[in-house]
Every structure is written in structure tokens, then in C-alpha cells.
């Protein structure tokens, strides 16, 4: 994997795959639905901090990149669950999907946050939230969820809990480029860390987790020190204007959920790679660049490699 002079994730095989797609030699994979959550908490130094994880360098997809807790939708996420907050129909309108799909995506967001960060956005009633998710019994349930031995619906049901969909705000939607072999249609949500709960690195896919202010993370990316995929740095930049986690959550209602999908086209012998609405990620890749690795000279992956969002992502 390569990056440019900043910390933008850039696999060296992309130019060949882009040309193959343009020549009709590559059939795009169907993107899997996924969800990822930007957990926020207020800090004393101005502005909220966001919880990020660093994907293990050995990961086939975006190894070494900083991301958020998240992952693919499990078909069982469509099973009925006790639900609080905006209805499934309301979520469907907000997200532009049918109610069953909306529930599955929201359930995946809550489930993956518990699986990867140990944080559960659920409570015994519509106005309460679980205060503590530590202990052997919680860990046993979390491990069973990860192993697909327990469905999220059964997990909530046997504990007498309901999903608190009102604690989430839909923030963005990004779809992995058509030339990538692993593709995800990922929904990004924001949520405030519930009082009494704390995050931990519960993911086998991450070797490090941090709480960091969006501005500091973006500065690390700009210096080439923190490796990130375009959706990650784009969402971080979008969070920088908010003074509190509550402000960010309130702003989610107005966020544009139009899917962002990278475009690649051949212009002469050069590849132009762009993400609509996000000019900072545009690249012009020549045959020389492709042969040598990253366009723009090929900076090292950064000191954090040997250096996350899942899901999210795998996005």
C-alpha cells in the first residue's frame, strides 16, 4: 500500500484496476451495506474528541489506516428489535431506503460499536442508557456477537434492552470505488459517548485506539503521519466546526447523505481520479506514477505504520 505526500490511503494496484475497468475488463463487485460510528465526547481543550482505531498492518483492506468502529450489515440485523427514538419509517425517509434496510443499517451501527469499542447505545427504556458494559457477562455476549453465535436481536431481548436510535445521527454515505475488489456502501453516523460508559479496543482488526480532536487528527493526516481513507479525513474535517458533541449530533439532521462514489477516467495516457464534492482527493496518475507506486513521488506510509473505521469501515 502507498500514500501520497499527505496520509491519503492509496493502493499501488489502483491504476491497473482503473485501466481494466475503463477497458471493460473488470466487472465491479456489488458493494456490501455497512455502517460506522463517529463516537464523540466533550473535551476540556475546545471541541469534542472522536474515538478512532488503527487497523492492523496485516489487514487486507486499508491496513495501518485510522478509521472508526464499524463493519458490514449482518442479515440478522433485519430481525425485529425493541426500538426507541425515530421510527424505522422516519429513518427510511432520512436515509432514502426502505424501513427494513434502514433498521438493518442502524442496528449494524449500534452492534458494531459494541463489538469493536464496547459501547452500547441501548437502554432498558426509551429514556435510559446502559451505564456500564464491563464485566465477564458483557464480554461473553460481545464475543458471541462477533462469532455470529448470538444475534443482536436476541442479545437485546434477553437483557431487556431497546435500541436507542435517537442517540445516532446520520452523517454521510460513501461507496467504495468500482475498481476496488472489496466494496462497501457505508453509512457514517455520529453519537455521543453515553455517560458512565468507556471505550476500549475490543476489535481483533485494530492494534490501537485513541481519543483525538478532529483538528489534531486532520493535521496529522496533512503531515503524512496518520494514514486515512478519504471518507475518514472528510468526516473529520466536517466535525471541526462544532464546539460540542451535542452540537455535532444536532447538526446531523442537515447533513447531505448523497452517496459519494469515486470517479476514474482516462485522459490521454493519464488517469484522473476524483471524489465528487471533495476536490482535495483528486489525483492525476501517469504511467510513470503507476509504475513507481504512489502519484506525486510516493511518500512513506507514515510513522504510524508498523500505524483506522471500519468499516467501515472499510471505507
Amino acid at each position: 500500500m502507498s500514500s501520497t505526500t499527505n496520509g491519503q490511503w492509496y493502493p499501488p494496484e489502483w491504476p491497473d484496476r482503473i485501466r481494466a475497468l475503463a477497458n471493460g475488463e473488470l466487472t465491479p463487485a456489488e458493494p456490501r451495506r455497512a455502517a460506522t460510528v463517529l463516537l464523540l465526547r466533550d473535551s476540556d481543550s475546545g471541541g469534542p474528541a472522536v474515538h478512532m482505531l488503527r487497523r492492523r498492518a496485516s489487514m487486507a483492506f486499508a491496513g495501518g489506516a485510522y478509521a472508526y468502529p464499524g463493519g458490514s450489515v449482518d442479515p440478522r440485523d433485519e430481525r425485529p428489535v425493541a426500538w426507541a427514538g425515530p421510527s424505522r419509517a422516519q429513518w427510511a425517509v432520512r436515509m432514502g431506503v426502505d424501513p427494513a434496510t434502514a433498521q438493518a443499517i442502524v442496528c449494524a451501527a449500534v452492534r458494531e460499536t459494541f463489538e469493536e469499542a464496547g459501547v452500547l447505545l441501548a437502554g432498558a427504556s426509551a429514556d435510559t442508557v446502559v451505564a456500564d458494559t464491563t464485566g465477564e457477562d458483557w464480554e461473553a455476549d460481545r464475543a458471541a456477537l462477533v462469532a455470529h453465535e448470538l444475534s443482536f436481536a436476541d442479545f437485546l431481548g434477553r437483557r431487556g434492552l431497546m435500541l436507542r436510535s435517537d442517540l445516532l445521527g446520520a452523517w454521510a454515505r460513501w461507496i467504495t470505488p468500482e475498481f476496488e475488489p472489496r466494496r462497501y456502501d457505508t453509512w457514517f453516523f455520529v453519537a455521543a459517548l453515553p455517560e458512565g460508559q468507556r471505550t476500549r479496543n475490543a476489535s481483533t482488526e485494530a492494534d490501537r485506539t485513541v481519543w483525538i480532536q478532529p483538528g489534531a487528527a486532520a493535521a496529522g493526516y496533512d503531515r503524512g503521519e496518520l494514514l486515512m481513507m478519504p471518507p475518514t479525513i472528510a468526516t473529520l474535517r466536517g466535525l471541526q466546526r462544532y464546539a460540542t458533541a451535542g452540537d455535532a449530533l444536532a447538526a446531523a439532521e442537515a447533513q447531505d447523505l448523497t452517496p459519494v462514489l469515486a470517479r476514474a477516467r482516462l485522459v490521454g495516457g493519464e488517469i484522473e481520479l476524483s471524489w465528487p464534492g471533495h476536490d482535495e482527493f483528486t489525483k492525476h496518475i501517469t504511467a510513470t506514477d503507476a509504475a513507481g507506486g504512489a502519484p506525486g513521488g510516493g511518500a512513506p506510509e507514515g510513522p504510524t505504520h508498523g500505524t483506522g473505521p471500519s468499516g467501515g469501515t472499510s471505507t
Side-chain angles (χ1 to χ4, degrees), residues 118-146:
V119 171
L120 184 59
L121 303 176
S125 64
D127 57 0
T128 62
V129 187
V130 171
D132 183 11
T133 59
T134 60
E136 293 183 1
D137 59 331
W138 285 103
E139 176 56 25
D141 280 350
R142 191 199 65 79
L145 285 167
V146 172

mmCIF file of all heavy atoms in Angstrom, residues 118-146:
data_model
loop_
_atom_site.group_PDB
_atom_site.id
_atom_site.type_symbol
_atom_site.label_atom_id
_atom_site.label_comp_id
_atom_site.label_asym_id
_atom_site.label_seq_id
_atom_site.Cartn_x
_atom_site.Cartn_y
_atom_site.Cartn_z
ATOM 1 N N GLY A 118 -16.933 -1.642 22.657
ATOM 2 C CA GLY A 118 -17.503 -1.928 23.960
ATOM 3 C C GLY A 118 -18.531 -0.915 24.417
ATOM 4 O O GLY A 118 -18.879 -0.877 25.605
ATOM 5 N N VAL A 119 -19.039 -0.096 23.504
ATOM 6 C CA VAL A 119 -20.018 0.947 23.826
ATOM 7 C C VAL A 119 -21.372 0.535 23.258
ATOM 8 O O VAL A 119 -21.471 0.177 22.080
ATOM 9 C CB VAL A 119 -19.585 2.304 23.254
ATOM 10 C CG1 VAL A 119 -20.701 3.339 23.387
ATOM 11 C CG2 VAL A 119 -18.321 2.787 23.953
ATOM 12 N N LEU A 120 -22.411 0.602 24.092
ATOM 13 C CA LEU A 120 -23.734 0.141 23.683
ATOM 14 C C LEU A 120 -24.758 1.268 23.753
ATOM 15 O O LEU A 120 -25.023 1.821 24.823
ATOM 16 C CB LEU A 120 -24.180 -1.014 24.588
ATOM 17 C CG LEU A 120 -25.506 -1.681 24.233
ATOM 18 C CD1 LEU A 120 -25.483 -2.251 22.824
ATOM 19 C CD2 LEU A 120 -25.836 -2.770 25.254
ATOM 20 N N LEU A 121 -25.338 1.592 22.618
ATOM 21 C CA LEU A 121 -26.354 2.650 22.529
ATOM 22 C C LEU A 121 -27.736 2.016 22.691
ATOM 23 O O LEU A 121 -28.529 1.923 21.762
ATOM 24 C CB LEU A 121 -26.232 3.373 21.185
ATOM 25 C CG LEU A 121 -24.851 3.986 20.893
ATOM 26 C CD1 LEU A 121 -24.814 4.586 19.492
ATOM 27 C CD2 LEU A 121 -24.498 5.042 21.930
ATOM 28 N N ALA A 122 -28.002 1.579 23.893
ATOM 29 C CA ALA A 122 -29.266 0.914 24.210
ATOM 30 C C ALA A 122 -29.573 1.117 25.682
ATOM 31 O O ALA A 122 -28.687 1.434 26.479
ATOM 32 C CB ALA A 122 -29.181 -0.576 23.885
ATOM 33 N N GLY A 123 -30.842 0.946 26.033
ATOM 34 C CA GLY A 123 -31.242 1.119 27.425
ATOM 35 C C GLY A 123 -32.465 0.289 27.752
ATOM 36 O O GLY A 123 -33.105 -0.279 26.862
ATOM 37 N N ALA A 124 -32.802 0.240 29.034
ATOM 38 C CA ALA A 124 -33.966 -0.530 29.477
ATOM 39 C C ALA A 124 -35.274 0.168 29.131
ATOM 40 O O ALA A 124 -36.335 -0.450 29.136
ATOM 41 C CB ALA A 124 -33.883 -0.770 30.979
ATOM 42 N N SER A 125 -35.197 1.459 28.820
ATOM 43 C CA SER A 125 -36.386 2.226 28.444
ATOM 44 C C SER A 125 -35.970 3.264 27.411
ATOM 45 O O SER A 125 -34.787 3.421 27.086
ATOM 46 C CB SER A 125 -36.999 2.910 29.672
ATOM 47 O OG SER A 125 -36.092 3.861 30.214
ATOM 48 N N ALA A 126 -36.969 3.991 26.905
ATOM 49 C CA ALA A 126 -36.709 4.960 25.845
ATOM 50 C C ALA A 126 -35.922 6.167 26.316
ATOM 51 O O ALA A 126 -35.439 6.950 25.487
ATOM 52 C CB ALA A 126 -38.038 5.416 25.228
ATOM 53 N N ASP A 127 -35.774 6.335 27.633
ATOM 54 C CA ASP A 127 -35.044 7.498 28.140
ATOM 55 C C ASP A 127 -33.891 7.116 29.057
ATOM 56 O O ASP A 127 -33.411 7.920 29.847
ATOM 57 C CB ASP A 127 -35.998 8.463 28.854
ATOM 58 C CG ASP A 127 -36.770 7.806 29.990
ATOM 59 O OD1 ASP A 127 -36.563 6.591 30.228
ATOM 60 O OD2 ASP A 127 -37.569 8.497 30.640
ATOM 61 N N THR A 128 -33.442 5.864 28.973
ATOM 62 C CA THR A 128 -32.280 5.447 29.754
ATOM 63 C C THR A 128 -31.244 4.801 28.829
ATOM 64 O O THR A 128 -31.575 4.343 27.739
ATOM 65 C CB THR A 128 -32.658 4.433 30.853
ATOM 66 O OG1 THR A 128 -33.205 3.244 30.237
ATOM 67 C CG2 THR A 128 -33.667 5.022 31.818
ATOM 68 N N VAL A 129 -30.014 4.781 29.302
ATOM 69 C CA VAL A 129 -28.918 4.150 28.550
ATOM 70 C C VAL A 129 -28.145 3.269 29.514
ATOM 71 O O VAL A 129 -27.961 3.621 30.688
ATOM 72 C CB VAL A 129 -27.969 5.202 27.934
ATOM 73 C CG1 VAL A 129 -26.936 4.521 27.026
ATOM 74 C CG2 VAL A 129 -28.738 6.245 27.157
ATOM 75 N N VAL A 130 -27.697 2.136 29.035
ATOM 76 C CA VAL A 130 -26.855 1.262 29.843
ATOM 77 C C VAL A 130 -25.666 2.067 30.362
ATOM 78 O O VAL A 130 -25.016 2.786 29.606
ATOM 79 C CB VAL A 130 -26.362 0.067 29.005
ATOM 80 C CG1 VAL A 130 -25.317 -0.730 29.755
ATOM 81 C CG2 VAL A 130 -27.533 -0.822 28.607
ATOM 82 N N ALA A 131 -25.378 1.948 31.654
ATOM 83 C CA ALA A 131 -24.327 2.768 32.255
ATOM 84 C C ALA A 131 -22.974 2.080 32.280
ATOM 85 O O ALA A 131 -21.942 2.745 32.385
ATOM 86 C CB ALA A 131 -24.726 3.168 33.679
ATOM 87 N N ASP A 132 -22.962 0.754 32.175
ATOM 88 C CA ASP A 132 -21.693 0.043 32.291
ATOM 89 C C ASP A 132 -21.771 -1.237 31.469
ATOM 90 O O ASP A 132 -22.702 -2.029 31.621
ATOM 91 C CB ASP A 132 -21.423 -0.291 33.762
ATOM 92 C CG ASP A 132 -20.069 -0.966 33.978
ATOM 93 O OD1 ASP A 132 -19.265 -0.989 33.027
ATOM 94 O OD2 ASP A 132 -19.842 -1.463 35.087
ATOM 95 N N THR A 133 -20.820 -1.430 30.571
ATOM 96 C CA THR A 133 -20.815 -2.639 29.745
ATOM 97 C C THR A 133 -19.552 -3.461 29.994
ATOM 98 O O THR A 133 -19.106 -4.208 29.132
ATOM 99 C CB THR A 133 -20.908 -2.281 28.247
ATOM 100 O OG1 THR A 133 -19.792 -1.449 27.892
ATOM 101 C CG2 THR A 133 -22.206 -1.569 27.941
ATOM 102 N N THR A 134 -18.970 -3.309 31.171
ATOM 103 C CA THR A 134 -17.800 -4.102 31.517
ATOM 104 C C THR A 134 -18.231 -5.320 32.320
ATOM 105 O O THR A 134 -19.355 -5.383 32.823
ATOM 106 C CB THR A 134 -16.787 -3.278 32.331
ATOM 107 O OG1 THR A 134 -17.409 -2.822 33.544
ATOM 108 C CG2 THR A 134 -16.313 -2.072 31.546
ATOM 109 N N GLY A 135 -17.367 -6.275 32.458
ATOM 110 C CA GLY A 135 -17.684 -7.481 33.212
ATOM 111 C C GLY A 135 -17.681 -8.700 32.311
ATOM 112 O O GLY A 135 -17.847 -8.600 31.088
ATOM 113 N N GLU A 136 -17.505 -9.867 32.908
ATOM 114 C CA GLU A 136 -17.375 -11.098 32.142
ATOM 115 C C GLU A 136 -18.634 -11.443 31.356
ATOM 116 O O GLU A 136 -18.553 -11.990 30.253
ATOM 117 C CB GLU A 136 -17.010 -12.257 33.082
ATOM 118 C CG GLU A 136 -15.621 -12.126 33.708
ATOM 119 C CD GLU A 136 -15.279 -13.320 34.573
ATOM 120 O OE1 GLU A 136 -16.115 -14.244 34.672
ATOM 121 O OE2 GLU A 136 -14.176 -13.326 35.152
ATOM 122 N N ASP A 137 -19.811 -11.143 31.922
ATOM 123 C CA ASP A 137 -21.044 -11.487 31.213
ATOM 124 C C ASP A 137 -21.210 -10.646 29.958
ATOM 125 O O ASP A 137 -21.618 -11.138 28.909
ATOM 126 C CB ASP A 137 -22.252 -11.346 32.138
ATOM 127 C CG ASP A 137 -22.405 -9.940 32.693
ATOM 128 O OD1 ASP A 137 -21.381 -9.238 32.844
ATOM 129 O OD2 ASP A 137 -23.547 -9.530 32.985
ATOM 130 N N TRP A 138 -20.885 -9.363 30.036
ATOM 131 C CA TRP A 138 -20.944 -8.495 28.860
ATOM 132 C C TRP A 138 -19.925 -8.948 27.818
ATOM 133 O O TRP A 138 -20.214 -8.972 26.619
ATOM 134 C CB TRP A 138 -20.685 -7.055 29.249
ATOM 135 C CG TRP A 138 -21.814 -6.363 29.937
ATOM 136 C CD1 TRP A 138 -21.925 -6.102 31.278
ATOM 137 C CD2 TRP A 138 -23.016 -5.855 29.343
ATOM 138 N NE1 TRP A 138 -23.118 -5.457 31.544
ATOM 139 C CE2 TRP A 138 -23.805 -5.292 30.377
ATOM 140 C CE3 TRP A 138 -23.500 -5.814 28.042
ATOM 141 C CZ2 TRP A 138 -25.043 -4.699 30.145
ATOM 142 C CZ3 TRP A 138 -24.743 -5.224 27.795
ATOM 143 C CH2 TRP A 138 -25.505 -4.677 28.848
ATOM 144 N N GLU A 139 -18.731 -9.279 28.267
ATOM 145 C CA GLU A 139 -17.692 -9.708 27.339
ATOM 146 C C GLU A 139 -18.081 -11.013 26.643
ATOM 147 O O GLU A 139 -17.827 -11.186 25.447
ATOM 148 C CB GLU A 139 -16.356 -9.874 28.069
ATOM 149 C CG GLU A 139 -15.224 -10.421 27.208
ATOM 150 C CD GLU A 139 -14.962 -9.603 25.952
ATOM 151 O OE1 GLU A 139 -15.287 -8.398 25.930
ATOM 152 O OE2 GLU A 139 -14.433 -10.177 24.973
ATOM 153 N N ALA A 140 -18.724 -11.922 27.368
ATOM 154 C CA ALA A 140 -19.164 -13.175 26.761
ATOM 155 C C ALA A 140 -20.191 -12.915 25.663
ATOM 156 O O ALA A 140 -20.134 -13.532 24.585
ATOM 157 C CB ALA A 140 -19.754 -14.097 27.837
ATOM 158 N N ASP A 141 -21.122 -11.989 25.916
ATOM 159 C CA ASP A 141 -22.116 -11.653 24.899
ATOM 160 C C ASP A 141 -21.462 -10.952 23.706
ATOM 161 O O ASP A 141 -21.815 -11.214 22.545
ATOM 162 C CB ASP A 141 -23.201 -10.748 25.493
ATOM 163 C CG ASP A 141 -24.235 -11.532 26.283
ATOM 164 O OD1 ASP A 141 -24.214 -12.771 26.220
ATOM 165 O OD2 ASP A 141 -25.063 -10.895 26.965
ATOM 166 N N ARG A 142 -20.523 -10.066 23.977
ATOM 167 C CA ARG A 142 -19.837 -9.362 22.877
ATOM 168 C C ARG A 142 -19.098 -10.363 21.986
ATOM 169 O O ARG A 142 -19.180 -10.302 20.760
ATOM 170 C CB ARG A 142 -18.865 -8.328 23.446
ATOM 171 C CG ARG A 142 -18.305 -7.361 22.407
ATOM 172 C CD ARG A 142 -17.037 -6.682 22.893
ATOM 173 N NE ARG A 142 -15.962 -7.643 23.060
ATOM 174 C CZ ARG A 142 -15.239 -8.126 22.053
ATOM 175 N NH1 ARG A 142 -15.475 -7.756 20.805
ATOM 176 N NH2 ARG A 142 -14.286 -9.015 22.282
ATOM 177 N N ALA A 143 -18.398 -11.296 22.605
ATOM 178 C CA ALA A 143 -17.665 -12.311 21.845
ATOM 179 C C ALA A 143 -18.613 -13.187 21.033
ATOM 180 O O ALA A 143 -18.307 -13.565 19.896
ATOM 181 C CB ALA A 143 -16.830 -13.169 22.792
ATOM 182 N N ALA A 144 -19.784 -13.505 21.608
ATOM 183 C CA ALA A 144 -20.768 -14.321 20.887
ATOM 184 C C ALA A 144 -21.332 -13.575 19.685
ATOM 185 O O ALA A 144 -21.600 -14.171 18.635
ATOM 186 C CB ALA A 144 -21.891 -14.740 21.839
ATOM 187 N N LEU A 145 -21.514 -12.265 19.825
ATOM 188 C CA LEU A 145 -21.963 -11.456 18.694
ATOM 189 C C LEU A 145 -20.920 -11.458 17.579
ATOM 190 O O LEU A 145 -21.256 -11.644 16.404
ATOM 191 C CB LEU A 145 -22.238 -10.020 19.150
ATOM 192 C CG LEU A 145 -23.514 -9.771 19.946
ATOM 193 C CD1 LEU A 145 -23.473 -8.373 20.577
ATOM 194 C CD2 LEU A 145 -24.749 -9.914 19.053
ATOM 195 N N VAL A 146 -19.668 -11.271 17.954
ATOM 196 C CA VAL A 146 -18.589 -11.256 16.965
ATOM 197 C C VAL A 146 -18.510 -12.591 16.234
ATOM 198 O O VAL A 146 -18.288 -12.640 15.019
ATOM 199 C CB VAL A 146 -17.234 -10.943 17.643
ATOM 200 C CG1 VAL A 146 -16.083 -11.107 16.663
ATOM 201 C CG2 VAL A 146 -17.245 -9.525 18.210
#
